Amino acid sequence: MDDLSGSGDSDVDAFVDANLRSFAAWDIAVYLEHSHGERSAIAELAGRLGRKEAEIESVLRDFVDHGIARATAENDGETRFALSDDSEVRRVVARFVDLAKVREIRLEFVRRVLALMSRG
């Protein structure tokens, strides 16, 4: 197999290295990109993704801090999350999702996530 040093898109590689520190983060990035602006509460996301709420909350807080997601406090007291409105962020996340469909590139992303996870 050829040695891949990245996906061929430096913006996507930087996004993966800076934001995908777990496979939960990967799942959330894909979900938010596919949800087309739909806002979801932590409990909803946890149920849809089959993950623990604490894990989802931690990732979403990081995504909000890094400008990947936005949080909206609703009248019912619930906070809901969606992908950032920033067109560049949306482009990079959409490009990540598209590139992850290519087996070799997906494996490179998996390698990167595993490396980040091993560092803690």
Side-chain angles (χ1 to χ4, degrees), residues 32-102:
L32 292 176
E33 197 279 328
H34 284 300
S35 69
H36 305 290
E38 175 186 322
R39 297 183 321 252
S40 299
I42 290 170
E44 293 170 59
L45 282 167
R48 289 178 182 161
L49 297 174
R51 299 210 174 254
K52 295 179 182 174
E53 287 186 28
E55 185 178 32
I56 298 293
E57 182 174 16
S58 173
V59 170
L60 286 170
R61 297 292 174 208
D62 285 346
F63 276 13
V64 169
D65 289 346
H66 291 116
I68 305 303
R70 60 184 165 81
T72 306
E74 302 291 331
N75 291 336
D76 62 5
E78 190 80 56
T79 300
R80 290 193 171 69
F81 299 86
L83 191 59
S84 170
D85 291 329
D86 182 296
S87 61
E88 182 61 15
V89 169
R90 296 177 82 78
R91 183 195 69 76
V92 170
V93 174
R95 182 79 174 129
F96 160 72
V97 170
D98 285 341
L99 286 170
K101 294 175 185 174
V102 178

